[in-house]
Amino acid sequence: MRKMRSDRLQFVFMLCLAFVTAGGKSFERKVAQLLQDKTEDPKCFVEGKKDLTCFWEVEKERNLHDRYTFMYSYENEKKMACVVSSLSLRASNKTVLFCKLPQELFFTPLNVQVFRDGQILYNRIFNVENVLLLDPPSNLTVMSSGKEGQLNVSWLPPPLKHMDDSMIYEVRYAVEGSHMGKVEKIKASTTLVLRGLQSDTRYEVWVRVKLDGVAYDGYWSSWTDPVFAVTAPTDMDPLIVLLVLFIGLILCLLSLTVILSHHKFLLKKLWPDIPTPEHKFPGLFTVYKGDFKEWMSQNNGSMWGRSVHVYTEELPSPVEVLSEVSLTNYSTSPREGRKPAEKEEGSERADSGLMGGWREPPHAQWLMEQLRALQENPESFSQSTLLQSHDTYVALNQNSQRVQGDTEQKVDDVFEETLPLQTLFTTAGTSSLSASHSDLGSLPQSSGSGRLSSQSSFEYPNHTWPPKGPGYAYMAVADSGVSMDYSPMSSSSIAELGKLGIYTNEYKNEIFGHKWPFSCQHIESGY
Amino acid sequence: MYHKTLIYVFLVCSGLVSVLIVFVWLGGNQVSPLRPICDLRVLDHFVQEARDSEVIMRGCRGGCGVMKSYFVPLTRVDFAVWEHIDVQSQAVEVQTGLSLLVQALSTAKITVSNSPLASTLDNNISNIHSLGQILHSLDLQQARSTVLPDDSAPASSQMQEVSSLPELLQVQSSFLRGKVRLLLSAAPACQRQNS
């Protein structure tokens, strides 16, 4: 029994202590807040209908209570003394002396005086209803209203009868974490709808209260503890969704109409027919029922031309790799043969400079002979006749005309398997000439023997390659830029020619100067 | 045919009687009291005007009245005490105070030659009359009684003496903000409306 009682007493005591400390905390907070206000000393506030307190700041020292006295008097009444107590503010490390007045009379002037060592320090007259400092509002709730960018805020005012219609509030809100807050003032209502907020964002909301100053006046209370809420996410405006769908539908219909109206054309582009060569061989399938021999016999020369022409279109231009062979290594006979030609050609070259067009050189016959010699004597020819053959542009085929006019004819020659030599000398076009001409210009002209030609470049597809001469190094270049490396047919000849510097590598414009007695140049066919 | 005339007469009479009843009923309603004026903004307006008088008084230079003693009501409110007084007693106190104020203001106005001050005093006097009307609408108006300085003790306990016009205006302001307002906010007629 006794134990129970003592327990109960203890519990009650703890409860009391808790209340006192809580109240004390709020009191201390109010004192600290008002200390920063610029009202005259002593600073006084009333927490509601009661608890009027006046305080003033002092320097920390001993015997504070003895030095200071506090006197107050209401109108037409005598002065009364009030007990002075001290309070140390932990936050700002300041000391205040305060007095809690026992009686509060509103709507009448009150005179307070502070004496230090008998001397009057402060003297102030005020009305108590003008110094109200309330507790902050309670039960602050913030909820999303469902609409985007809106929050519903509501709170309970401090419980003061007669004064609730004189209260004004300030609601502060900010995005969580940011320091840019907005403030809304509100009168005579304890709910507010915040508008114009960002959607789907977390907001912090605070509220504080003050008397409106008409009948009662005072100071702003402290802010409540913040309350967090998230605004509703953006919802798609149904009108926008509808419009988007509608526009999409219209676009679909339009595209469908276009597709249907041009479906044949589109089909051709996307799903092309497999090309057949029927149209190139007129009558082959229709008249001769696929009998090529018969068809050929019927349509000999012209057909070829046409087909060749076609072929030419698809084939890349031939590129011939030319090499210069040192005169010292030449066998005498070709050399001799060459010399007269050289002289002839030299003058010619000076004239034409291998520019642009090529003309039928007068020594075509001589070259023919040289080529025949090559066939008989591959080795010797490789050294000299190569050069010579490359010195000029020669068309052995009498039918061949100027390059400019007659590309097809040249190619004609090219593909005559019966005239392999022709292939060496026909050119693909003037473009190659011009291209090579410029290159030639940049080449260092070594000794007179250095007949760099490398002008004509042409390329042959593999199957028409005339591989009779072993010593040729050809480089075929496709018009697409793919380089095909054709090594000479016999490796032995390469070895021999190697010292002479026949170049079989790919296809760069390189000029080799002194290393080799002659320079090789790979000319890219202008195609 | 005789029967017909009888019937006609009977119908006409009943119609007239019913109309008469309606009129009487309507007329009866008119006699009922005024609608209660519960909006405190009216009073707040009066309070502002009383404050304006104080401001004008402070800025007045010359012709601002003479030093004279006025009897004015006590304005102090002790909430602990006030809330225990019943409404009717409160009403009496307020009514007495208002009549005192009117008297004092009228007396003061005679001595004032400064025109802004005089006009604002006029405002205050008419405001106090309006307050009487408001109290009447709230069923709080008591029989008017002119309070004389040498009245019985109850009156003196509710009176004080001031010696200048600024003090008088201060008292008026405090009284309106205090007791009058508390009474109006606590008026039963308004409570019934709010609840």
Side-chain angles (χ1 to χ4, degrees):
Chain A
M1 185 65 182
R2 254 194 215 165
K3 199 170 180 226
M4 266 179 66
R5 200 188 287 174
S6 66
D7 282 342
R8 217 178 284 167
L9 278 171
Q10 249 184 345
F11 173 72
V12 169
F13 176 70
M14 293 303 287
L15 212 62
C16 286
L17 202 65
F19 274 124
V20 165
T21 44
K25 253 192 184 174
S26 122
F27 173 75
E28 194 177 320
R29 198 156 62 156
K30 285 182 179 173
V31 167
Q33 183 194 331
L34 204 54
L35 201 60
Q36 293 156 17
D37 200 83
K38 284 187 176 32
T39 45
E40 58 174 303
D41 281 315
K43 301 193 200 320
C44 300
F45 65 92
V46 64
E47 291 183 58
K49 288 188 184 149
K50 48 193 175 68
D51 301 322
L52 172 63
T53 311
C54 287
F55 66 92
W56 62 99
E57 196 184 338
V58 291
E59 298 292 325
K60 196 159 188 156
E61 51 178 89
R62 291 179 298 162
N63 301 331
L64 277 171
H65 297 229
D66 299 337
R67 290 188 67 188
Y68 289 90
T69 47
F70 184 90
M71 305 294 284
Y72 72 96
S73 65
Y74 284 102
E75 201 171 24
N76 299 332
E77 292 196 6
K78 50 180 188 167
K79 275 190 188 175
M80 306 238 269
C82 174
V83 177
V84 174
S85 323
S86 68
L87 174 69
S88 294
L89 297 171
R90 272 164 288 161
S92 50
N93 205 18
K94 291 179 184 175
T95 313
V96 298
L97 290 176
F98 69 94
C99 166
K100 281 192 185 263
L101 279 79
Q103 194 192 24
E104 303 88 16
L105 288 178
F106 290 74
F107 307 105
T108 189
L110 170 65
N111 185 10
V112 294
Q113 288 168 327
V114 176
F115 296 90
R116 183 169 66 179
D117 303 326
Q119 299 277 345
I120 189 156
L121 182 61
Y122 302 122
N123 189 7
R124 187 182 168 191
I125 299 173
F126 64 95
N127 276 29
V128 177
E129 76 275 5
N130 291 337
V131 291
L132 278 156
L133 178 56
L134 306 172
D135 291 330
S138 56
N139 253 24
L140 175 62
T141 49
V142 184
M143 283 187 305
S144 171
S145 70
K147 293 185 192 171
E148 60 165 310
Q150 282 188 15
L151 282 176
N152 286 346
V153 186
S154 71
W155 58 91
L156 284 180
L160 286 168
K161 244 195 324 180
H162 306 303
M163 294 185 194
D164 13 16
D165 46 7
S166 307
M167 291 185 194
I168 55 172
Y169 306 94
E170 250 187 14
V171 177
R172 183 163 72 119
Y173 58 98
V175 177
E176 187 187 13
S178 90
H179 296 286
M180 307 269 290
K182 282 191 191 171
V183 169
E184 292 254 354
K185 278 202 166 132
I186 176 160
K187 288 184 186 181
S189 168
T190 57
T191 58
L192 178 67
V193 178
L194 294 172
R195 290 173 215 276
L197 306 174
Q198 297 172 26
S199 52
D200 211 16
T201 327
R202 205 164 140 88
Y203 275 89
E204 280 183 286
V205 182
W206 300 261
V207 179
R208 62 178 185 178
V209 66
K210 184 179 177 282
L211 278 301
D212 63 357
V214 176
Y216 304 93
D217 203 352
Y219 312 97
W220 280 109
S221 72
S222 59
W223 291 105
T224 54
D225 290 330
V227 173
F228 297 89
V230 183
T231 46
T234 40
D235 52 334
M236 288 295 286
D237 194 3
L239 184 66
I240 291 172
V241 171
L242 266 172
L243 278 172
V244 166
L245 281 172
F246 193 62
I247 289 168
L249 194 70
I250 288 174
L251 284 171
C252 279
L253 284 170
L254 273 172
S255 55
L256 206 68
T257 320
V258 166
I259 287 169
L260 284 172
S261 60
H262 294 98
H263 77 281
K264 282 201 181 122
F265 171 73
L266 286 169
L267 207 65
K268 219 180 177 183
K269 283 284 172 187
L270 293 170
W271 198 266
D273 296 328
I274 300 167
T276 58
E278 266 186 47
H279 63 286
K280 301 291 182 193
F281 303 93
L284 173 60
F285 292 102
T286 51
V287 178
Y288 298 96
K289 303 206 178 350
D291 191 350
F292 196 67
K293 251 190 180 170
E294 262 196 53
W295 181 84
M296 273 288 289
S297 59
Q298 296 293 321
N299 307 302
N300 200 349
S302 52
M303 276 306 108
W304 262 123
R306 243 181 286 155
S307 58
V308 160
H309 170 58
V310 168
Y311 192 59
T312 317
E313 287 169 47
E314 292 156 5
L315 280 181
S317 67
V319 176
E320 183 171 332
V321 174
L322 306 170
S323 58
E324 198 177 315
V325 183
S326 161
L327 285 174
T328 53
N329 292 342
Y330 293 159
S331 56
T332 50
S333 54
R335 201 177 176 191
E336 284 160 11
R338 234 175 95 256
K339 271 185 186 165
E342 196 181 327
K343 286 173 197 161
E344 288 176 44
E345 290 161 10
S347 57
E348 260 195 58
R349 184 185 290 124
D351 296 339
S352 66
L354 299 163
M355 308 213 160
W358 69 270
R359 52 191 110 152
E360 231 171 274
H363 50 278
Q365 282 293 325
W366 171 82
L367 279 166
M368 269 292 281
E369 286 164 17
Q370 293 296 323
L371 285 165
R372 263 184 224 120
L374 166 69
Q375 280 192 313
E376 292 152 16
N377 254 341
E379 289 173 4
S380 60
F381 191 71
S382 66
Q383 292 167 17
S384 56
T385 48
L386 251 183
L387 261 182
Q388 290 174 22
S389 67
H390 294 159
D391 287 347
T392 60
Y393 297 96
V394 179
L396 297 176
N397 187 350
Q398 297 307 313
N399 288 333
S400 59
Q401 301 301 319
R402 301 253 178 232
V403 169
Q404 291 100 342
D406 216 353
T407 314
E408 292 99 28
Q409 280 274 330
K410 303 300 159 297
V411 187
D412 237 14
D413 302 333
V414 167
F415 289 98
E416 281 289 318
E417 296 201 5
T418 51
L419 300 166
L421 293 174
Q422 289 172 16
T423 64
L424 295 174
F425 299 103
T426 55
T427 61
T430 41
S431 56
S432 58
L433 279 174
S434 46
S436 44
H437 164 64
S438 57
D439 289 329
L440 179 67
S442 63
L443 280 174
Q445 295 268 348
S446 51
S447 55
S449 64
R451 301 202 198 186
L452 295 173
S453 38
S454 69
Q455 311 311 317
S456 73
S457 49
F458 34 89
E459 177 183 343
Y460 308 110
N462 277 352
H463 61 281
T464 57
W465 199 260
K468 304 276 177 2
Y472 290 96
Y474 296 100
M475 184 167 72
V477 177
D479 60 344
S480 61
V482 174
S483 64
M484 292 186 285
D485 197 3
Y486 295 94
S487 50
M489 300 318 292
S490 71
S491 53
S492 60
S493 61
I494 288 175
E496 279 175 50
L497 295 169
K499 351 180 217 181
L500 304 173
I502 291 178
Y503 214 173
T504 58
N505 284 342
E506 56 271 34
Y507 177 51
K508 294 170 224 169
N509 271 338
E510 290 165 347
I511 298 167
F512 295 83
H514 309 291
K515 197 173 183 187
W516 306 100
F518 50 87
S519 54
C520 305
Q521 190 173 20
H522 308 264
I523 304 282
E524 181 181 347
S525 74
Y527 203 60
Chain B
M1 191 164 161
Y2 178 68
H3 293 289
K4 273 186 188 172
T5 38
L6 266 177
I7 289 164
Y8 286 144
V9 165
F10 174 70
L11 282 170
V12 167
C13 282
S14 59
L16 282 170
V17 163
S18 56
V19 166
L20 205 66
I21 287 166
V22 166
F23 272 123
V24 164
W25 179 73
L26 280 173
N29 272 350
Q30 275 185 348
V31 178
S32 66
L34 298 163
R35 278 194 144 198
I37 300 166
C38 288
D39 194 351
L40 285 170
R41 283 180 289 181
V42 177
L43 178 59
D44 286 345
H45 181 68
F46 296 160
V47 165
Q48 294 279 21
E49 292 204 324
R51 267 215 194 119
D52 295 342
S53 298
E54 283 185 85
V55 170
I56 293 169
M57 184 72 232
R58 263 180 261 142
C60 176
R61 307 270 175 268
C64 311
V66 295
M67 294 291 282
K68 201 179 179 227
S69 74
Y70 306 98
F71 285 102
V72 289
L74 288 172
T75 58
R76 61 184 58 184
V77 172
D78 188 345
F79 278 104
V81 172
W82 179 264
E83 279 163 6
H84 285 97
I85 301 174
D86 65 305
V87 173
Q88 291 303 321
S89 309
Q90 288 175 359
V92 166
E93 210 172 316
V94 165
Q95 200 68 331
T96 322
L98 285 174
S99 51
L100 276 173
L101 279 172
V102 165
Q103 268 190 328
L105 284 168
S106 310
T107 318
K109 201 186 93 153
I110 299 165
T111 63
V112 168
S113 54
N114 185 304
S115 56
L117 186 59
S119 66
T120 194
L121 287 174
D122 268 331
N123 257 355
N124 294 336
I125 291 163
S126 65
N127 289 346
I128 292 171
H129 283 304
S130 308
L131 272 172
Q133 290 287 321
I134 291 170
L135 286 173
H136 178 67
S137 77
L138 298 173
D139 261 342
L140 295 170
Q141 185 152 46
Q142 306 302 314
R144 279 174 166 267
S145 56
T146 51
V147 180
L148 299 166
D150 53 3
D151 212 351
S152 54
S156 62
S157 64
Q158 293 174 22
M159 267 200 309
Q160 60 175 329
E161 200 177 332
V162 292
S163 54
S164 66
L165 186 52
E167 283 174 55
L168 166 62
L169 293 173
Q170 206 176 30
V171 163
Q172 181 202 204
S173 186
S174 298
F175 190 70
L176 291 176
R177 284 159 60 213
K179 287 183 177 174
V180 176
R181 202 169 198 279
L182 286 168
L183 176 66
L184 288 180
S185 64
C190 296
Q191 302 301 318
R192 259 179 271 129
Q193 267 193 354
N194 292 343
S195 58

